Amino acid sequence: MEEHELIIIGNGPAGLSAAIYASRYHIDFIVIGSNPGGYAGMAHEIVNFPSYEKISGVELMTKMM
């Protein structure tokens, strides 16, 4: 059985953001989720996301991963 310092449950935008910060601080983590990008990954269009005026959900989640 593997041991990790942090277990992130959910791989939507919040889970992926948590993974980015964990990686920056060199924390040993694992992300558990069934749908990469969560519901945001299935969105046709996301508007007013920081640093993007308009982007598709698939493209945004791909960039976050």
Side-chain angles (χ1 to χ4, degrees), residues 11-14 16 35-46 55-65:
N11 54 354
L16 294 177
N35 185 17
Y39 287 112
M42 295 184 281
H44 171 70
E45 184 176 271
I46 297 174
I55 189 169
S56 75
V58 172
E59 185 179 2
L60 180 60
M61 292 305 106
T62 300
K63 289 177 183 275
M64 289 183 79
M65 286 189 263

Side-chain angles (χ1 to χ4, degrees), residues 2-43:
E2 293 182 51
E3 289 190 18
H4 301 279
E5 293 177 273
L6 175 66
I7 299 172
I8 300 168
I9 300 173
N11 54 354
L16 294 177
S17 293
I20 290 169
Y21 280 96
S23 179
R24 285 181 183 168
Y25 288 97
H26 306 287
I27 296 171
D28 179 37
F29 68 95
I30 185 170
V31 178
I32 298 172
S34 60
N35 185 17
Y39 287 112
M42 295 184 281

